Amino acid sequence: MGNAKDEGQEYNCLIDELTGIYNRQGFYEHTEKLLKENPNISFCLMYWNVRKFKVVNDLFGRESGDKVLKYLANSLKKEFGNVTASYGRFESDNFICCVPEEIIQKGKWVHLGDISFDAEGSEYHFYSCCGLYKIINRELTIANMVDRARVAMETVKNNYLKPYAWYEESMWGSMVEEQKMNSAFRKAIAENQFKVYYQPLCRATDGIITGAEALVRWEKPGEGLVSPGKFIPVFEKNGLISVLDRYVWSEVCRFQKKRLDQGLEVVPVSINVSRVEFYNPNLCEDIRNIVQKYDIPTDLIKIEITESAYADDPTLVQEAVRKLHEYGFVVLMDDFGSGYSSLNTLKDLPIDVLKIDMKFMDSFDKNQKAAVILEAVIRMAKWMKLRTVAEGVETKKEWEYLRSMECDVVQGYYFYRPMPEADFEKLLNQTGIKYVDNDKDIPELDDVILDAFSHGNSKESMIFYSMLGGMGMLEMTEDNLEIIQANRGYYEVIYGNEKDFSGFSKTMNRQLRESDKAVLMEKCIAAKDTDEMQYAQIHFLREDGKYIWLSAKIRYIGSRGKRSLFYLAIDNIDDIKKAEQDKYLLDYSAALVKAFDKVYRMDYDTGMVEVLHSGEASMKVKEMYYFRNFFEKFHNNIDWGDQKNAVKIINNKELLDKELQESKNGSYSVHYKVIKSEINIREVSALFFKVELQNGREEYLCCIKVDRAKA
Ligand code: C2E
Ligand code: CA
Ligand code: CA
């Protein structure tokens, strides 16, 4: 049915040369006939599009691209060539079929669009997506029906998890809306229906205006004000955004020029650059040319680049930022935190200002975590020489919080809403508004800071940092000390290798124990005063309550205002420290052994005694015994005299502690007789006491003296 080659004449104009199936016109004509001839069959349209087809062409060349298209055409031919159906290829990688609904319901068609082909000896797989439209109204033109299937396909084009979608009436509405917008665009530009609104930016400390952001609005005749959220995505799809953006930039420059010429107060205005602009190689030149055309200083225009643009294509954005800097513009990263970029990625993107996404403000009240992240971002930004703007500030409380965190600039409804040019002018003309711009002239900090923040970015720095072991950054304020950033090695030193650190929040170690803090803080002050490396040994409290010994090296990096930053390098010296302690104990017990026969260390956690010293050859130093059942085992052979409770006390740490406390000299002594036989009776004196080591560790010692004379 679908094979048109036999019909001779038709061949040239209705057949797609490459694949040999119908072209658009051929499909239209053939399908019309198909529907007329089969009034009782319910048909569906399938619109196929090869995902990432451009990649095939770019990567493997046109020939391979052609192979892919032929492959898909053949699949369709095989599947539908012998049924009441039609199929064809439209421009490029778009294929369309009209098949009985029955076939669709059977569901075997889903993988028709999976393509595999060989190139350079390897097999590659490509997938297609599909839009489905059930033909209900046969009055529509075929082209119209096809449009519906295409609209359905577009909804899954970028969704790899969904291979196909059925057409729904609402999809049509939005497509018509888009088409209307597109056709209204030229007129709108020509008639100045697009208006630039200005939303002031304020200095966080006092709310003084430091600049503004230009935000576009569409004053549509008869429809009122349309917000950019409605039309920008549409114009980004079809490329009209580049016309609109240039219009807005020009409007802003015109405004600035007008005020300059009138000798009025001006503030820098930031303009938005759509994410799709970065594919335009002339972007930066275009901006520069507009600014030059209006003859205004470059620092009156700042440039907002949205984080999503960077996610789309980091290298293009990097290149653009570099150029914009070269031309003298300040560049802001907009919507920071809305996507995937982290502060580390900013190392490669030399922007000047971080605009923190509104969502942090949204969840500010409800979500404690958002506040913690917000704070960390602002703090880190400071150290990276980035100024910070917080968007979407709506309440006084939010403002105060941001101010306390030393965020530089705030923007939001609490201060001003976006306003028409005339209102903005009135505002600027009011007295008392003094413009302060401090996006430039930030004191330079050692570049090592940037390096330090960039660990994990490159293989080299990864190796470097893992070689260094545990590294962190300490930030000291007047009364506080916090670890604001740490590498993986830092966690490994403290927690060992067994743990998965990926989920660790950067702030987990903020709760330094007060005494740990005191030790470190003293060293930080010394490091700052002397500018020399400082060393410390700290008995550090882990989050899980365990103590470990760390050696710390501290080096001063720099200060800004009340804040100072330090490198912290740590090593785990737990083993060394424990050995030191043990040596102390051994020395100590060696002295005791002069008065006693044996010295044991009692470990109440494990219920073991460890032999520290022994006068008997049969009992070696470091040997361990269970002591809890020791006395019980020989119970029948021991005469406790009037100290009947002794076993209970010795076996129980709390009871023993009580005895130790109540005694005059901090010890507990027991005298008992071990009756081995009628003639073998030993009198034993046991002395229990505690030794406190430097680290606060306590050891219970048990010293035994056996009086053989009485045997
Ligand atoms: P954006 O760049 O993140 O702009 C900030 C948006 O937040 C603006 O929405 C602004 O009106 C709104 N806003 C400001 N303060 C508050 C607040 O306190 N609370 C809340 N809820 N919202 C606040 P708008 O004007 O609707 O713009 C939306 C987006 O459209 C902008 O987001 C920007 O991405 C884009 N856009 C606006 N104008 C242009 C333009 O001329 N060119 C391009 N390419 N994009 C633009
Ligand atoms: Ca913006
Ligand atoms: Ca934003």
Side-chain angles (χ1 to χ4, degrees):
M1 266 258 162
N3 193 348
K5 276 189 183 173
D6 311 331
E7 291 164 36
Q9 277 257 300
E10 224 184 17
Y11 186 64
N12 285 333
C13 56
L14 298 181
I15 297 299
D16 172 40
E17 257 184 68
L18 177 72
T19 60
I21 62 175
Y22 282 123
N23 62 17
R24 184 188 282 269
Q25 197 50 43
F27 178 81
Y28 284 170
E29 286 184 14
H30 190 78
T31 306
E32 215 172 304
K33 226 163 91 191
L34 183 77
L35 293 181
K36 274 215 189 89
E37 285 171 2
N38 300 283
N40 297 324
I41 299 180
S42 171
F43 283 99
C44 290
L45 285 185
M46 315 169 99
Y47 195 110
W48 291 97
N49 179 274
V50 184
R51 293 183 198 265
K52 304 267 179 212
F53 180 63
K54 202 177 159 302
V55 176
V56 186
N57 273 332
D58 290 354
L59 240 57
F60 306 108
R62 270 202 81 88
E63 234 170 78
S64 294
D66 287 351
K67 251 196 215 168
V68 165
L69 298 177
K70 281 184 198 160
Y71 184 100
L72 187 51
N74 280 332
S75 301
L76 298 180
K77 211 185 275 180
K78 244 192 247 158
E79 192 74 17
F80 303 131
N82 299 316
V83 293
T84 317
S86 64
Y87 48 89
R89 178 174 83 108
F90 286 12
E91 299 72 33
S92 177
D93 58 331
N94 296 298
F95 290 80
I96 181 107
C97 316
C98 180
V99 299
E101 189 186 0
E102 208 181 68
I103 290 181
I104 304 283
Q105 301 303 359
K106 278 186 196 148
K108 267 169 54 196
W109 53 275
V110 176
H111 297 291
L112 265 180
D114 297 358
I115 300 157
S116 60
F117 80 101
D118 296 324
E120 290 145 18
S122 299
E123 190 170 287
Y124 292 89
H125 295 275
F126 282 86
Y127 301 92
S128 310
C129 54
C130 181
L132 295 165
Y133 169 64
K134 180 175 168 177
I135 300 169
I136 300 166
N137 179 2
R138 295 202 181 193
E139 303 291 294
L140 294 174
T141 62
I142 305 292
N144 230 317
M145 297 174 189
V146 169
D147 268 347
R148 283 169 163 73
R150 179 180 56 79
V151 166
M153 181 277 293
E154 302 230 317
T155 66
V156 290
K157 196 168 181 176
N158 295 314
N159 183 350
Y160 273 74
L161 298 175
K162 226 179 144 186
Y164 67 94
W166 281 94
Y167 169 79
E168 283 164 30
E169 226 28 76
S170 61
M171 294 174 182
W172 190 250
S174 58
M175 197 197 76
V176 170
E177 192 70 17
E178 285 179 17
Q179 277 175 353
K180 267 197 207 157
M181 260 188 214
N182 293 343
S183 52
F185 181 80
R186 298 275 161 201
K187 193 160 175 259
I189 287 278
E191 294 179 356
N192 290 333
Q193 290 174 13
F194 292 107
K195 302 283 186 232
V196 177
Y197 275 47
Y198 293 86
Q199 185 178 31
L201 273 73
C202 306
R203 184 161 71 177
T205 45
D206 50 13
I208 279 181
I209 294 177
T210 71
E213 177 177 5
L215 294 159
V216 69
R217 302 284 178 269
W218 189 353
E219 273 176 17
K220 244 176 156 180
E223 278 182 49
L225 216 58
V226 186
S227 73
K230 287 239 172 71
F231 56 86
I232 287 195
V234 178
F235 297 146
E236 281 181 339
K237 254 198 223 165
N238 58 20
L240 288 175
I241 187 69
S242 74
V243 181
L244 179 60
D245 270 352
R246 279 155 190 74
Y247 174 83
V248 171
W249 305 340
S250 298
E251 276 295 288
V252 172
C253 291
R254 179 194 53 72
F255 172 73
Q256 297 286 50
K257 178 66 175 165
K258 183 183 79 181
R259 289 191 64 88
L260 280 175
D261 285 351
Q262 294 174 347
L264 297 167
E265 190 86 61
V266 282
V267 299
V269 173
S270 57
I271 53 172
N272 287 285
V273 174
S274 160
R275 57 197 284 179
V276 302
E277 295 277 3
F278 293 90
Y279 297 98
N280 175 352
N282 294 323
L283 169 67
C284 303
E285 285 73 17
D286 286 357
I287 296 177
R288 184 192 54 180
N289 291 345
I290 291 172
V291 172
Q292 280 177 353
K293 183 180 146 205
Y294 285 91
D295 188 26
I296 55 171
T298 42
D299 51 8
L300 285 187
I301 300 292
K302 296 183 184 181
I303 301 180
E304 295 196 6
I305 292 175
T306 170
E307 192 200 77
S308 54
Y310 185 71
D312 289 347
D313 195 327
T315 25
L316 281 180
V317 175
Q318 273 164 23
E319 184 53 21
V321 172
R322 198 194 52 71
K323 259 196 209 163
L324 290 169
H325 272 162
E326 196 184 302
Y327 299 156
F329 294 107
V330 164
V331 182
L332 295 81
M333 166 153 285
D334 201 358
D335 310 320
F336 184 80
S338 62
Y340 304 104
S341 38
S342 70
L343 283 163
N344 279 345
T345 64
L346 292 179
K347 164 77 167 40
D348 304 316
L349 191 65
I351 52 146
D352 310 284
V353 184
L354 208 58
K355 262 190 115 166
I356 298 159
D357 195 66
M358 217 169 291
K359 83 165 182 242
F360 287 108
M361 282 297 116
D362 270 357
S363 47
F364 174 77
D365 261 341
K366 294 154 248 159
N367 186 345
Q368 189 57 36
K369 215 168 159 191
V372 170
I373 297 170
L374 182 65
E375 193 178 333
V377 167
I378 293 175
R379 197 197 298 269
M380 295 288 294
K382 281 203 139 38
W383 287 114
M384 297 179 77
K385 298 189 275 184
L386 298 173
R387 300 189 61 79
T388 47
V389 181
E391 303 182 308
V393 182
E394 289 183 356
T395 64
K396 188 162 192 222
K397 206 175 136 202
E398 288 168 358
W399 177 28
E400 277 171 354
Y401 182 67
L402 289 162
R403 193 166 44 180
S404 77
M405 292 187 325
E406 295 176 43
C407 174
D408 301 299
V409 174
V410 283
Q411 175 185 10
Y413 295 168
Y414 179 71
F415 300 94
Y416 304 95
R417 285 179 179 257
M419 59 186 88
E421 184 179 305
D423 292 356
F424 185 50
E425 283 220 67
K426 268 187 225 147
L427 185 68
L428 284 182
N429 293 343
Q430 278 170 22
T431 50
I433 290 184
K434 187 83 200 84
Y435 145 63
V436 258
D437 183 15
N438 29 22
D439 281 350
K440 293 190 164 179
D441 309 327
I442 295 154
E444 283 285 317
L445 265 173
D446 198 337
D447 263 355
V448 289
I449 298 177
L450 287 178
D451 287 342
F453 284 128
S454 76
H455 60 77
N457 259 4
S458 70
K459 212 165 143 196
E460 290 78 3
S461 64
M462 285 259 282
I463 293 165
F464 180 57
Y465 278 95
S466 57
M467 248 164 56
L468 280 183
M471 285 269 315
M473 293 275 171
L474 281 170
E475 191 192 56
M476 185 172 72
T477 53
E478 264 166 315
D479 54 357
N480 201 17
L481 191 67
E482 279 181 19
I483 287 159
I484 57 169
Q485 173 87 320
N487 68 354
R488 191 189 163 82
Y490 176 87
Y491 295 112
E492 282 172 356
V493 164
I494 296 177
Y495 294 92
N497 286 313
E498 79 279 6
K499 260 201 155 142
D500 174 20
F501 307 111
S502 51
F504 274 36
S505 90
K506 289 205 178 82
T507 53
M508 66 158 292
N509 269 293
R510 297 171 64 181
Q511 303 93 344
L512 284 174
R513 188 172 55 146
E514 283 307 320
S515 55
D516 294 342
K517 224 186 254 183
V519 175
L520 287 173
M521 210 149 160
E522 198 181 292
K523 294 291 175 185
C524 284
I525 292 166
K528 190 176 167 183
D529 288 347
T530 62
D531 208 17
E532 274 166 17
M533 181 92 79
Q534 298 294 315
Y535 302 86
Q537 291 192 342
I538 36 176
H539 191 231
F540 182 85
L541 178 62
R542 298 193 340 184
E543 285 215 324
D544 55 9
K546 283 202 179 130
Y547 286 95
I548 55 156
W549 278 97
L550 296 179
S551 84
K553 286 182 225 154
I554 293 166
R555 177 113 220 189
Y556 174 64
I557 298 171
S559 294
R560 188 170 303 149
K562 285 176 280 179
R563 300 176 183 280
S564 304
L565 193 68
F566 301 86
Y567 273 130
L568 170 70
I570 55 167
D571 258 321
N572 187 329
I573 50 163
D574 221 33
D575 290 344
I576 301 168
K577 225 40 199 177
K578 285 211 175 90
E580 246 175 51
Q581 302 283 0
D582 286 349
K583 185 166 179 308
Y584 170 80
L585 261 190
L586 287 178
D587 291 350
Y588 187 86
S589 51
L592 285 172
V593 128
K594 297 205 168 95
F596 296 91
D597 296 315
K598 285 173 197 134
V599 181
Y600 302 99
R601 184 177 70 86
M602 305 175 71
D603 188 338
Y604 279 96
D605 288 338
T606 58
M608 312 269 290
V609 292
E610 180 189 5
V611 181
L612 293 182
H613 268 286
S614 161
E616 264 177 51
S618 63
M619 199 178 249
K620 291 198 187 74
V621 169
K622 291 258 166 195
E623 270 179 344
M624 313 273 268
Y625 301 90
Y626 279 104
F627 70 84
R628 287 239 160 81
N629 55 13
F630 180 79
F631 292 114
E632 274 149 36
K633 209 163 150 189
F634 302 106
H635 186 69
N636 292 333
N637 302 336
I638 295 179
D639 176 4
W640 292 101
D642 54 358
Q643 290 175 296
K644 297 272 186 271
N645 280 331
V647 176
K648 231 169 146 187
I649 291 168
I650 296 163
N651 280 346
N652 184 310
K653 194 170 139 186
E654 279 71 41
L655 291 179
L656 180 62
D657 273 338
K658 198 164 154 261
E659 291 292 331
L660 296 180
Q661 259 163 32
E662 283 170 2
S663 75
K664 270 188 228 123
N665 57 3
S667 67
Y668 171 64
S669 51
V670 197
H671 302 281
Y672 55 91
K673 284 184 190 144
V674 180
I675 307 160
K676 291 211 166 169
S677 68
E678 263 174 52
I679 49 149
N680 189 354
I681 299 172
R682 294 182 180 183
E683 265 187 53
V684 181
S685 304
L687 185 73
F688 298 85
F689 61 97
K690 266 200 295 202
V691 190
E692 211 165 297
L693 304 176
Q694 296 117 293
N695 61 359
R697 202 169 99 193
E698 283 177 335
E699 298 288 1
Y700 290 81
L701 297 189
C702 165
C703 307
I704 305 260
K705 174 115 189 112
V706 183
D707 203 340
R708 279 165 238 269
K710 297 222 170 134

